[in-house]
Amino acid sequence: HLLTELRESLRGNIKFIFQPAEEGLFGARKMIEDGVLKNPQVSAIAGLHVNPNLPTGNLSVARGIACAACDTLKIKIIGKGGHAAHPHLGIDSIAV
């Protein structure tokens, strides 16, 4: 509906891109490698993301980058078993 109303003021092509695997950082990279930003060439892009904090039917707008900085952190915690009667002899990995 919005695009129909804006048809006269918009110039160029409009391309809808639906990115799979967006939480893992691999969907966009693969789509770009496969040429999603070409034919027709994309000169600007607006990204949308679900926001469960907004009531249904509402949206928010931010200029610039928003909802970014996805990363991975791996931590390996090694404990040492013990006995409840001698907790000082073990390493409690839960407390770590």
Side-chain angles (χ1 to χ4, degrees):
H1 179 69
L2 176 64
L3 294 177
T4 303
E5 291 178 5
L6 296 174
R7 182 182 347 201
E8 298 302 318
S9 62
L10 293 175
R11 294 180 188 222
N13 298 305
I14 296 174
K15 183 185 283 191
F16 291 93
I17 302 170
F18 298 90
Q19 177 187 347
E22 54 91 15
E23 296 292 346
L25 297 176
F26 303 107
R29 181 178 296 136
K30 180 67 174 142
M31 291 175 71
I32 292 167
E33 289 170 0
D34 288 345
V36 73
L37 301 179
K38 299 176 182 172
N39 195 21
Q41 187 74 27
V42 174
S43 58
I45 195 163
L48 303 176
H49 199 285
V50 174
N51 185 347
N53 297 317
L54 293 174
T56 300
N58 289 271
L59 59 94
S60 64
V61 178
R63 188 176 294 269
I65 298 172
C67 299
C70 180
D71 207 343
T72 302
L73 173 66
K74 292 183 181 183
I75 300 174
K76 184 174 184 178
I77 298 173
I78 301 172
K80 178 180 176 186
H83 190 277
H86 306 280
H88 61 288
L89 299 177
I91 299 173
D92 185 359
S93 60
I94 305 272
V96 171

